[in-house]
Amino acid sequence: MADVTIAASFELKPGRYPDKSGHDLLRDIIKGALQAWPVGPKDIDGLLVTPSGQAGGAGIDAYIHDKIISEMGIRPTFAETLNAGGATFPMMVHRAAMAIADGRANAVLCISAGKFLKISAGGGEAAKMISEPDLEAPYGTFIPGLYALIASEFMHKRGITKRDLARVAVAERQWALRNPDARMHGAGAIAIEDVLASRPIAWPFNFLDCSIPSEGGGAVLVTRGDLGRKWARQPAYVLGYGEAHPRGTISSPGSLIETGAVQSGAEAFRRAGLSPSDIDVAQLYDAFTSTPLLLLENLKFVDEGGSGEFVQGGGMDPGGTMPVNTYGGLISYGHTGDASGMSVLIEGVRQVMGEAGERQVARADRGLVHCYGGMMFDHVTLILGRES
Amino acid sequence: MSGKLVPEINDVTREYWEGTALGELRLRTCLSCDAKFRFNHGWCPQCGSAELGMEATSGKGTVTNYTVIHVPPYEAYAAEVPYALVLVELDEGVRMMANIVDCDPASVGIGMRVEVTFEERGPVMLPQFRPSN
């Protein structure tokens, strides 16, 4: 791929910001990034932003890029508001890299903020947005329940158990204890039994199998390679990318567990000239505990059915053979609604840039980030490295 | 059942809801390539043809994916929890979403044989499924 880097990242601490709109949070991110990064508005000539207000129920602003252009005082030659749900963020890196390779821009600000309704109020409304209005929504669709439909097939065909799912939450909590920004940083370690004893939400998911509704957001700066080397001690090089959109609703034809990650992962590895064994650390979007396991299998890090043994053996834990979701995951760090995938991307960037503090893995020469949108409909795989 | 989501009857969906009112679960068929699919398209998702027919199904199928919902997505569903939300593969080869009714939701599982039944929901008869022998 072209000589493109991620030169900087910035993220708000996930939490509850009841007095701030999605747009307010974007302003906080811009202010914070401009103070933290060695660049000013005049250096930024590209802008990608997610529509604010999606999961917050306040209406969707599809013209938010124009407001940011005006408020930042930038005059980009490449700018748009785009959305593919949780998949948007590695996708932004790819769209920015294409614009840079095409000479359209040199430094692209990719930014997102998210609000999140309470789970009891938001699960239904959010499910309605991504359900077929006549043939799915009347049956009482609910976000955890839709993921549970996927998980049931995964468990049935691959022999994965509720204890395997629970072990994902145990691992992610271990990581959150090492991340002062994680919602569950001070909450202490948990055991499989704690997850199994938490209240049922939608079989096979109990409360501790679910991500934590939060608010926040962040930004990354995607740049021409020479600018990345100037602005960062260790930029994250964009080595490979893959993307696939094989279904658009949960009751579309085909297996729910042969997700688009099979295709996007194979493409990303091919473009990077790498294989799964070359990856040191992975960030795998985890709205619920089943999804990192399914993605480990779909991305070929383990054989089909092998993800349970991998997680039970501590493979994704601190010190594991391939650390996964090293910031605590959406399950213990927090799921910032529309901006959730930004957290996943930023942790991938921080590990490769060597900026992950206490949770920095010993070896992070190459990191993989996989995010999906909808109910695992849109899939994007991004491979980052310390050398081009 | 007030407050639950109600499907819309329009030019695309009318024949489907006319069928369910008669106790019949129907599928769209493509008159050009013989594909079968759910009703809410104006064209064939296989070949793009707009020459479409409709045929009755056996109303029988198999559960391929399931969950039991314990937290109601809307207040209107509060009296229903816990309820089974499933995907059913009809014997005609088309998948659809439904609830499994007339049984303990904890007894629902992958591979369960089911048959269609209908729930009055506002202006339509909504297809649901129950265990079959």
Side-chain angles (χ1 to χ4, degrees):
Chain A
M1 297 188 58
D3 182 22
V4 174
T5 67
I6 300 174
S9 69
F10 177 84
E11 189 171 21
L12 298 177
K13 185 170 173 153
R16 285 293 186 182
Y17 297 93
D19 300 329
K20 292 183 187 272
S21 68
H23 191 171
D24 291 335
L25 292 174
L26 287 170
R27 293 181 179 122
D28 288 350
I29 296 162
I30 291 165
K31 185 178 174 184
L34 287 174
Q35 309 316 305
W37 295 354
V39 299
K42 287 188 169 45
D43 297 309
I44 294 169
D45 59 2
L47 172 67
L48 293 172
V49 56
T50 59
S52 64
Q54 294 181 76
I60 293 171
D61 187 351
Y63 291 92
I64 189 68
H65 62 284
D66 284 331
K67 297 182 177 80
I68 292 176
I69 288 167
S70 172
E71 292 173 12
M72 283 190 79
I74 59 177
R75 300 180 65 182
T77 48
F78 171 70
E80 63 185 275
T81 299
L82 83 169
N83 173 54
T88 309
F89 308 91
M91 185 181 282
M92 282 175 159
V93 175
H94 173 252
R95 302 295 187 266
M98 285 201 301
I100 290 166
D102 195 38
R104 292 227 54 76
N106 301 291
V108 181
L109 174 67
C110 302
I111 183 169
S112 174
K115 300 282 285 181
F116 209 122
L117 294 170
K118 283 197 298 185
I119 193 163
S120 55
E125 281 301 323
K128 202 162 80 175
M129 279 202 291
I130 50 91
S131 297
E132 297 181 24
D134 294 319
L135 290 184
E136 295 181 344
Y139 296 106
T141 55
F142 177 50
I143 295 288
L146 295 175
Y147 277 96
L149 293 175
I150 305 171
S152 70
E153 182 179 343
F154 181 46
M155 296 167 76
H156 180 76
K157 290 184 175 168
R158 305 270 174 93
I160 302 300
T161 67
K162 265 177 71 86
R163 293 185 70 85
D164 296 334
L165 306 190
R167 187 61 178 77
V168 171
V170 171
E172 298 199 345
R173 181 64 62 86
Q174 291 177 14
W175 285 111
L177 300 180
R178 290 161 170 77
N179 181 359
D181 287 343
R183 297 288 305 274
M184 293 294 113
H185 175 66
I190 53 173
I192 288 174
E193 284 66 29
D194 296 319
V195 182
L196 298 178
S198 61
R199 66 188 173 93
I201 302 294
W203 187 95
F205 301 133
N206 293 44
F207 184 71
L208 291 176
D209 287 295
C210 305
S211 48
I212 310 168
S214 305
E215 298 170 348
V220 298
L221 185 66
V222 182
T223 71
R224 233 173 49 202
D226 59 315
L227 295 174
R229 288 183 286 277
K230 184 170 93 178
W231 288 334
R233 184 186 55 79
Q234 170 63 70
Y237 288 88
V238 177
L239 302 183
Y241 177 79
E243 177 176 333
H245 308 262
R247 64 168 54 239
T249 61
I250 203 88
S251 44
S252 299
S255 163
L256 288 173
I257 67 171
E258 285 289 320
T259 75
V262 175
Q263 188 180 338
S264 71
E267 183 193 351
F269 283 119
R270 180 174 52 74
R271 286 183 179 231
L274 298 171
S275 67
S277 62
D278 296 315
I279 300 298
D280 301 313
V281 56
Q283 313 302 330
L284 308 175
Y285 192 101
D286 59 326
F288 297 89
T289 48
S290 57
T291 63
L293 299 182
L294 180 54
L295 291 172
L296 282 166
E297 296 190 14
N298 280 181
L299 293 167
K300 315 298 185 198
F301 284 112
V302 297
D303 293 335
E304 289 187 0
S307 61
E309 187 181 341
F310 176 81
V311 69
Q312 294 291 359
M316 63 184 275
D317 294 355
T321 52
M322 197 194 59
V324 174
N325 295 348
T326 49
Y327 63 113
L330 306 180
I331 291 169
S332 260
Y333 175 82
H335 182 309
T336 57
D338 313 328
S340 54
M342 185 62 92
S343 306
V344 185
L345 170 65
I346 285 177
E347 179 66 7
V349 170
R350 285 181 174 164
Q351 287 288 349
V352 168
M353 292 182 73
E355 296 178 343
E358 190 190 338
R359 64 187 187 280
Q360 179 69 47
V361 300
R363 184 184 172 93
D365 290 344
R366 298 189 190 98
L368 179 143
V369 176
H370 185 93
C371 291
Y372 58 80
M375 298 297 102
M376 305 193 87
F377 304 152
D378 310 286
H379 286 265
V380 291
T381 309
L382 179 68
I383 299 174
L384 302 172
R386 288 189 170 171
E387 294 177 7
S388 58
Chain B
M1 296 296 168
S2 65
K4 286 188 178 179
L5 298 175
V6 176
E8 183 187 349
I9 301 175
N10 56 40
D11 286 348
V12 175
T13 64
R14 184 167 288 110
E15 276 185 81
Y16 180 82
W17 299 119
E18 285 173 356
T20 63
L22 297 170
E24 198 173 278
L25 179 61
R26 296 173 173 175
L27 288 178
R28 273 287 183 210
T29 58
C30 176
L31 300 180
S32 298
C33 77
D34 292 333
K36 292 183 172 66
F37 47 96
R38 289 168 301 147
F39 75 96
N40 62 343
H41 305 291
W43 61 91
C44 172
Q46 293 291 328
C47 74
S49 169
E51 297 299 313
L52 305 178
M54 200 153 223
E55 65 179 38
T57 68
S58 64
K60 293 184 185 302
T62 304
V63 172
T64 58
N65 303 72
Y66 80 104
T67 182
V68 179
I69 307 266
H70 292 269
V71 178
Y74 295 98
E75 193 55 36
Y77 293 81
E80 306 298 318
V81 296
Y83 61 89
L85 179 73
V86 305
L87 297 179
V88 172
E89 186 99 357
L90 297 172
D91 288 353
E92 289 76 10
V94 174
R95 181 181 293 167
M96 63 180 287
M97 186 177 282
N99 303 122
I100 303 295
V101 298
D102 298 343
C103 75
D104 176 3
S107 70
V108 175
I110 291 173
M112 180 185 238
R113 289 289 295 166
V114 293
E115 63 187 13
V116 74
T117 180
F118 296 93
E119 171 195 328
E120 187 171 354
R121 178 81 63 90
V124 308
M125 294 299 285
L126 187 71
Q128 295 284 21
F129 285 83
R130 64 188 174 202
S132 71
N133 294 319

